[in-house]
Amino acid sequence: SNDKPIENLKPLVGKDALSVSTKGILHQALGNIYRSAADWHNSQYNFEESIQLAKEGDEYDVMEREAELGRMYRSSGCYSEALKRQKSFLQFSICRGYRY
């Protein structure tokens, strides 16, 4: 079934034995899977969870996941939200030396 990736990943995010970093990566993966399925509510929820978990680590991970959330907003037609997040990530990247 097309829901197989979700069925496999979803139970993992609640495992206590997983590191915060791994849980964040799993939520990010679920956000992308739900975005691909045009399930905007679950996509947004998982991206926001991944962002919260990333706040315990590297600032780059937070910004990258904000950009992922922006891509979800773009896919769902919420262009102003998408642009806000994509612009923040681009400014962050440029400040870190990224050249377009």
Side-chain angles (χ1 to χ4, degrees):
S1 112
N2 289 341
D3 294 335
K4 198 74 170 156
I6 294 170
E7 291 169 17
N8 291 335
L9 287 177
K10 209 170 175 182
L12 293 176
V13 296
K15 299 269 186 209
D16 289 336
L18 294 178
S19 69
V20 169
S21 174
T22 300
K23 285 182 182 182
I25 291 167
L26 289 173
H27 275 292
Q28 186 177 7
L30 281 167
N32 279 310
I33 292 167
Y34 282 118
R35 182 183 69 184
S36 295
D39 183 341
W40 311 126
H41 174 77
N42 282 312
S43 179
Q44 179 181 357
Y45 168 79
N46 279 283
F47 281 130
E48 287 175 350
E49 287 293 311
S50 75
I51 291 164
Q52 287 305 313
L53 291 165
K55 289 180 179 178
E56 296 186 31
D58 184 35
E59 186 182 10
Y60 179 85
D61 290 339
V62 173
M63 296 306 295
E64 179 190 37
R65 292 172 189 182
E66 284 280 353
E68 290 264 20
L69 181 58
R71 286 190 279 281
M72 186 279 305
Y73 281 124
R74 183 189 65 214
S75 296
S76 69
C78 296
Y79 300 115
S80 63
E81 283 295 320
L83 187 58
K84 181 170 56 173
R85 283 170 172 79
Q86 299 282 307
K87 184 178 177 184
S88 292
F89 182 65
L90 181 59
Q91 288 171 333
F92 174 82
S93 298
I94 289 170
C95 287
R96 287 216 163 170
Y98 175 75
R99 295 186 181 222
Y100 216 12

